[in-house]
Amino acid sequence: DRPYDYAIDQHDPGMDAGAQTVLFPNVNSADEALAAAGAMRYPHAGNGGCRGVAGVTRSNRFGLVPGALLAANEAACTVVQIESAAALAAVEQIAAVPQVDALFVGPADLAASLGHLGDSGHADVQAALARVAQVAAAHGKAAGILALSTAQAQHYRALGYTMIALGLDTQWLLQGARAQTPNPYDEVYNIAKQLNCPTCGGRNLADWDNGQYRRRIGAVMQDDQLFVGTIEDNISFFDPEHDPERVREC
């Protein structure tokens, strides 16, 4: 479960449905980490818990599991995200909170907070990642992080991370789509070449199945409500690395 914050109304439905591990984003202090841990636990023996007690939920088979409330406290796993310069400065204190089980870094957000927006590979960010892993290990906590490739995952593993989320659903979908879809600019180029081919005498447009080529291209983005300028201008916008000579030839 990943609530928006550690407010009770954000995560209670997930835990009542059966979630035992909750990832709390943007935890910046020991007090916030303690609040996150308390939000996962039913009040008992001064544990600071504030989770609402519901005796008939999916998590306890709708009241059929004896001792479910105490068992839920024991099973609760609190993962706090280190995503800012403030959290990095307080990482020792956050890791020292007894009921925190893991520190999970958000590399992109942490990089932005450290002044390196879009550059999680910057030396400052990499040093911060190494420090979080070291602090987590020193306090007997797991260190978690998001990796966008297997190579990145191996790098983080070498830094000491043991809880590695690999990839994003949208990333996998996009990679799959790209693997199955030809580059539209290549298709346009190849079709245009056939219209004026010195060796083949060109093609008669009347003989072409336009629908076939529209399907091959996949999308025609020359919409006067969305795009202005020449075709070359639009290709330049979507593909800054395009070859101007090639576009002009088309």
Side-chain angles (χ1 to χ4, degrees):
D1 187 26
R2 187 184 189 278
Y4 294 111
D5 56 34
Y6 37 85
I8 294 171
D9 61 344
Q10 292 289 341
H11 74 275
D12 258 9
M15 295 195 68
D16 287 344
Q20 296 177 321
T21 300
V22 178
L23 180 68
F24 292 90
N26 208 30
V27 173
N28 295 313
S29 69
D31 286 342
E32 291 182 0
L34 191 60
M40 288 193 68
R41 291 163 172 81
Y42 297 115
H44 180 71
N47 66 353
C50 57
R51 179 181 174 185
V53 179
V56 183
T57 64
R58 183 180 181 279
S59 63
N60 62 22
R61 295 181 62 198
F62 304 99
L64 298 179
V65 179
L69 299 180
L70 290 177
N73 277 357
E74 290 297 320
C77 179
T78 304
V79 183
V80 299
Q81 287 199 257
I82 307 299
E83 302 183 278
S84 69
L88 185 63
V91 68
E92 289 275 3
Q93 292 78 21
I94 293 172
V97 175
Q99 293 171 321
V100 166
D101 298 286
L103 308 180
F104 195 99
V105 177
D109 287 321
L110 182 58
S113 182
L114 293 175
H116 304 294
L117 179 63
D119 187 9
S120 59
H122 192 279
D124 293 346
V125 182
Q126 291 299 305
L129 298 183
R131 179 163 182 258
V132 173
Q134 291 165 1
V135 169
H139 288 270
K141 309 296 173 72
I145 198 167
L146 171 65
L148 298 181
S149 67
T150 52
Q152 201 174 61
Q154 290 168 350
H155 169 66
Y156 292 148
R157 184 68 184 89
L159 290 180
Y161 285 86
T162 57
M163 179 184 179
I164 300 175
L166 180 59
L168 303 168
D169 51 0
T170 50
Q171 175 191 8
W172 303 130
L173 286 170
L174 184 58
Q175 288 177 351
R178 282 175 170 165
Q180 298 299 320
T181 306
N183 185 325
Y185 302 135
D186 287 342
E187 289 294 330
V188 172
Y189 178 72
N190 291 332
I191 292 169
K193 279 202 306 184
Q194 295 178 54
L195 292 174
N196 185 20
C197 175
T199 58
C200 66
R203 297 291 183 85
N204 186 344
L205 282 175
D207 298 333
W208 282 33
D209 175 3
N210 291 333
Q212 171 191 351
Y213 289 98
R214 288 178 64 85
R215 285 190 293 274
R216 280 171 57 187
I217 294 171
V220 178
M221 297 183 290
Q222 192 68 20
D223 185 323
D224 60 3
Q225 299 300 316
L226 297 176
F227 303 96
V228 295
T230 66
I231 291 176
E232 182 178 359
D233 291 337
N234 287 314
I235 291 178
S236 300
F237 178 81
F238 284 99
D239 182 12
E241 304 300 324
H242 78 284
D243 180 355
E245 291 299 325
R246 189 179 184 204
V247 174
R248 280 193 286 273
E249 182 184 346
C250 285

